Amino acid sequence: MNETKDTTSTDGVGIIQMRHVSKWYGDFQVLANCTTSVDKGEVVVICGPSGSGKSTLIKVINGLEPFQEGTITFNGISVGDRTTNLPKLRSQIGMVFQNFELFPHISIMQNIKLAQMKVLGREDNQARNRSMELLERVGLTDQRDKFPAQLSGGQQQRVAIARGLAMDPMAMLFDEPTSALDPEMINEVLDVMTELAKEGMTMMVVSHEMGFAKRVADRVIFMDQGRIVEDATKDDFFGTPRGDRAQLFLSKILHH
Amino acid sequence: MESGGFDFHIVFHSIPFLAKGMGLTLLLTVLGIAGGLVFGTVLALARLAPFKVLSFAAGTYVNFFRSMPLILVIFWFYFLVPLVLGQEIGAFQSVLIAFIMFEAAYYCEIMRAGIQSVRVGQAYAGEALGLTYPQNMRYVVLPQAFRNMIPILVSQAIVLFQDTALVYVVGLSDFLYSADIIANSENRLMEMYITVAIVYFALCSWGQFQVRNLQKKFAHE
């Protein structure tokens, strides 16, 4: 189904490569033989019904969740390998969570500075400058001394994106970044993500925002019951008739 | 010496002696809390560690000490440890070690609950940024856990403050024992015991007041 584009092949070009990845929680299989790859600069949107394994699919990429079968490599480094320095690998992959997960006990500035200093070893003023650049970019410089709870959801998520970008990652993973937001705040977050995509950031985005997918995605992956059911270019995904499950899902989320 | 009627003059005369006793009480409380907290945190990290041997050992320690009366632990360290070591370790040192080992078991359980009260997403966020497990604990999880625990930690500190009165069994002159010495030698039991009760009540009430303040403060943030 995905011969149309060679980016879905697994022959070594992708910065993220998954081959035949399976994962179980006890007897329950959350990921079933998932194979895909993401090229540098590519934006891939992953959608599917809840419980289909889409969040798990991106959490195994930076090793936040273990997997039992298959291989995943990021920039040529095997994620599942016991000898891999996971903290170092993760520092090269930004991640944005559904519930923002800013650290509530420290200021916005400290949230963005923390890992720059502790992981990358940047000096305080270096980290501060980089943080200011990113806060400016997401339009929140005046919020820098506040605590996360004092910001709106949309603002918190923009800070979370800045925090991820501060590590100068090679790719960004987004786990339903707008699902916990009030409707009027969704666009401010999607705008930041759109800009990021246009600048050439490699992105994997779990989202039901099909408008966003149509605007910026290169490829769309549709998952159901732990399987990658569709993995196609954006035009193919939205243009041609799909499998029953994907069609039903699309009709449901596009009509409200 | 008259014994009828109240005569609180004796209280004022004995303030320096009582203050010295209170000094010991506070010293034992502060050192007991500090040591118990450090050791309790280590135990909690061990209990939550992914290594079975470590978590089992820490769990056994906690269950054991939580099953023992504090006074028995004090007796051990005072009477039995010198037998094992072959030398005296002194009354103060022995009760201090007893308090730390005993309190650590309770602090461990408070810490464990505190660490588990931090949302798992927070640990994920720290890990995703590339923090190592110790860094994640140090900068992300523990500060939040401590904050959630402060009220109960202070409550536990107040309990220890009261429990330090048990040191009279090894002959240490804490606040209560100092007052007791005067009460008996001057035959002013009522005056001294009332004074002691008022002081304990005032200090513990102040402590509880601080706990409520902290709870309010954190509720606002």
PDB file of all heavy atoms in Angstrom, chain B residues 209-220:
ATOM      1  N   PHE B 209       0.239  24.714  63.437  1.00  0.00           N
ATOM      2  CA  PHE B 209      -0.156  25.947  62.762  1.00  0.00           C
ATOM      3  C   PHE B 209       0.677  26.130  61.487  1.00  0.00           C
ATOM      4  O   PHE B 209       0.165  26.484  60.431  1.00  0.00           O
ATOM      5  CB  PHE B 209       0.045  27.123  63.732  1.00  0.00           C
ATOM      6  CG  PHE B 209      -0.282  28.459  63.132  1.00  0.00           C
ATOM      7  CD1 PHE B 209      -1.606  28.822  62.885  1.00  0.00           C
ATOM      8  CD2 PHE B 209       0.725  29.362  62.827  1.00  0.00           C
ATOM      9  CE1 PHE B 209      -1.905  30.063  62.336  1.00  0.00           C
ATOM     10  CE2 PHE B 209       0.426  30.602  62.271  1.00  0.00           C
ATOM     11  CZ  PHE B 209      -0.886  30.948  62.024  1.00  0.00           C
ATOM     12  N   GLN B 210       1.992  25.850  61.610  1.00  0.00           N
ATOM     13  CA  GLN B 210       2.878  25.948  60.445  1.00  0.00           C
ATOM     14  C   GLN B 210       2.461  24.956  59.359  1.00  0.00           C
ATOM     15  O   GLN B 210       2.517  25.259  58.171  1.00  0.00           O
ATOM     16  CB  GLN B 210       4.336  25.697  60.842  1.00  0.00           C
ATOM     17  CG  GLN B 210       4.912  26.722  61.802  1.00  0.00           C
ATOM     18  CD  GLN B 210       4.805  28.139  61.280  1.00  0.00           C
ATOM     19  OE1 GLN B 210       5.013  28.397  60.103  1.00  0.00           O
ATOM     20  NE2 GLN B 210       4.416  29.066  62.150  1.00  0.00           N
ATOM     21  N   VAL B 211       2.056  23.762  59.796  1.00  0.00           N
ATOM     22  CA  VAL B 211       1.620  22.749  58.819  1.00  0.00           C
ATOM     23  C   VAL B 211       0.432  23.284  58.031  1.00  0.00           C
ATOM     24  O   VAL B 211       0.391  23.199  56.802  1.00  0.00           O
ATOM     25  CB  VAL B 211       1.213  21.438  59.534  1.00  0.00           C
ATOM     26  CG1 VAL B 211       0.604  20.464  58.533  1.00  0.00           C
ATOM     27  CG2 VAL B 211       2.413  20.813  60.212  1.00  0.00           C
ATOM     28  N   ARG B 212      -0.546  23.868  58.761  1.00  0.00           N
ATOM     29  CA  ARG B 212      -1.739  24.383  58.065  1.00  0.00           C
ATOM     30  C   ARG B 212      -1.379  25.524  57.125  1.00  0.00           C
ATOM     31  O   ARG B 212      -1.904  25.614  56.023  1.00  0.00           O
ATOM     32  CB  ARG B 212      -2.789  24.838  59.089  1.00  0.00           C
ATOM     33  CG  ARG B 212      -3.592  23.676  59.657  1.00  0.00           C
ATOM     34  CD  ARG B 212      -4.812  24.162  60.390  1.00  0.00           C
ATOM     35  NE  ARG B 212      -4.476  24.959  61.563  1.00  0.00           N
ATOM     36  CZ  ARG B 212      -4.208  24.427  62.760  1.00  0.00           C
ATOM     37  NH1 ARG B 212      -4.240  23.113  62.929  1.00  0.00           N
ATOM     38  NH2 ARG B 212      -3.905  25.184  63.783  1.00  0.00           N
ATOM     39  N   ASN B 213      -0.434  26.371  57.556  1.00  0.00           N
ATOM     40  CA  ASN B 213       0.016  27.458  56.687  1.00  0.00           C
ATOM     41  C   ASN B 213       0.625  26.934  55.396  1.00  0.00           C
ATOM     42  O   ASN B 213       0.344  27.414  54.312  1.00  0.00           O
ATOM     43  CB  ASN B 213       1.064  28.316  57.410  1.00  0.00           C
ATOM     44  CG  ASN B 213       0.422  29.460  58.166  1.00  0.00           C
ATOM     45  OD1 ASN B 213      -0.794  29.667  58.048  1.00  0.00           O
ATOM     46  ND2 ASN B 213       1.213  30.181  58.932  1.00  0.00           N
ATOM     47  N   LEU B 214       1.482  25.914  55.567  1.00  0.00           N
ATOM     48  CA  LEU B 214       2.137  25.329  54.396  1.00  0.00           C
ATOM     49  C   LEU B 214       1.114  24.727  53.452  1.00  0.00           C
ATOM     50  O   LEU B 214       1.189  24.875  52.241  1.00  0.00           O
ATOM     51  CB  LEU B 214       3.141  24.254  54.844  1.00  0.00           C
ATOM     52  CG  LEU B 214       4.447  24.769  55.437  1.00  0.00           C
ATOM     53  CD1 LEU B 214       5.224  23.636  56.070  1.00  0.00           C
ATOM     54  CD2 LEU B 214       5.288  25.427  54.347  1.00  0.00           C
ATOM     55  N   GLN B 215       0.129  24.032  54.048  1.00  0.00           N
ATOM     56  CA  GLN B 215      -0.902  23.412  53.210  1.00  0.00           C
ATOM     57  C   GLN B 215      -1.647  24.469  52.408  1.00  0.00           C
ATOM     58  O   GLN B 215      -1.934  24.294  51.235  1.00  0.00           O
ATOM     59  CB  GLN B 215      -1.877  22.607  54.071  1.00  0.00           C
ATOM     60  CG  GLN B 215      -1.307  21.244  54.433  1.00  0.00           C
ATOM     61  CD  GLN B 215      -2.119  20.546  55.502  1.00  0.00           C
ATOM     62  OE1 GLN B 215      -2.731  21.189  56.351  1.00  0.00           O
ATOM     63  NE2 GLN B 215      -2.126  19.230  55.456  1.00  0.00           N
ATOM     64  N   LYS B 216      -1.953  25.585  53.089  1.00  0.00           N
ATOM     65  CA  LYS B 216      -2.667  26.673  52.398  1.00  0.00           C
ATOM     66  C   LYS B 216      -1.794  27.241  51.296  1.00  0.00           C
ATOM     67  O   LYS B 216      -2.241  27.467  50.191  1.00  0.00           O
ATOM     68  CB  LYS B 216      -3.008  27.787  53.396  1.00  0.00           C
ATOM     69  CG  LYS B 216      -4.397  27.657  53.990  1.00  0.00           C
ATOM     70  CD  LYS B 216      -4.753  28.899  54.787  1.00  0.00           C
ATOM     71  CE  LYS B 216      -5.357  28.512  56.121  1.00  0.00           C
ATOM     72  NZ  LYS B 216      -5.187  29.542  57.147  1.00  0.00           N
ATOM     73  N   LYS B 217      -0.496  27.462  51.623  1.00  0.00           N
ATOM     74  CA  LYS B 217       0.417  28.053  50.664  1.00  0.00           C
ATOM     75  C   LYS B 217       0.503  27.202  49.397  1.00  0.00           C
ATOM     76  O   LYS B 217       0.414  27.702  48.286  1.00  0.00           O
ATOM     77  CB  LYS B 217       1.801  28.185  51.311  1.00  0.00           C
ATOM     78  CG  LYS B 217       2.773  28.980  50.492  1.00  0.00           C
ATOM     79  CD  LYS B 217       4.075  29.219  51.240  1.00  0.00           C
ATOM     80  CE  LYS B 217       5.155  29.670  50.290  1.00  0.00           C
ATOM     81  NZ  LYS B 217       6.332  28.816  50.302  1.00  0.00           N
ATOM     82  N   PHE B 218       0.645  25.883  49.576  1.00  0.00           N
ATOM     83  CA  PHE B 218       0.779  25.014  48.415  1.00  0.00           C
ATOM     84  C   PHE B 218      -0.530  24.879  47.669  1.00  0.00           C
ATOM     85  O   PHE B 218      -0.563  24.654  46.472  1.00  0.00           O
ATOM     86  CB  PHE B 218       1.311  23.646  48.827  1.00  0.00           C
ATOM     87  CG  PHE B 218       2.736  23.705  49.274  1.00  0.00           C
ATOM     88  CD1 PHE B 218       3.171  22.996  50.374  1.00  0.00           C
ATOM     89  CD2 PHE B 218       3.650  24.488  48.580  1.00  0.00           C
ATOM     90  CE1 PHE B 218       4.493  23.068  50.780  1.00  0.00           C
ATOM     91  CE2 PHE B 218       4.963  24.563  48.979  1.00  0.00           C
ATOM     92  CZ  PHE B 218       5.385  23.849  50.085  1.00  0.00           C
ATOM     93  N   ALA B 219      -1.648  25.006  48.405  1.00  0.00           N
ATOM     94  CA  ALA B 219      -2.944  24.904  47.743  1.00  0.00           C
ATOM     95  C   ALA B 219      -3.139  26.060  46.769  1.00  0.00           C
ATOM     96  O   ALA B 219      -3.825  25.946  45.771  1.00  0.00           O
ATOM     97  CB  ALA B 219      -4.059  24.880  48.780  1.00  0.00           C
ATOM     98  N   HIS B 220      -2.486  27.201  47.074  1.00  0.00           N
ATOM     99  CA  HIS B 220      -2.644  28.374  46.218  1.00  0.00           C
ATOM    100  C   HIS B 220      -1.841  28.266  44.931  1.00  0.00           C
ATOM    101  O   HIS B 220      -2.217  28.838  43.926  1.00  0.00           O
ATOM    102  CB  HIS B 220      -2.215  29.647  46.980  1.00  0.00           C
ATOM    103  CG  HIS B 220      -3.272  30.158  47.901  1.00  0.00           C
ATOM    104  ND1 HIS B 220      -4.433  30.704  47.426  1.00  0.00           N
ATOM    105  CD2 HIS B 220      -3.378  30.177  49.245  1.00  0.00           C
ATOM    106  CE1 HIS B 220      -5.202  31.051  48.457  1.00  0.00           C
ATOM    107  NE2 HIS B 220      -4.573  30.732  49.570  1.00  0.00           N
TER     108      HIS B 220
END
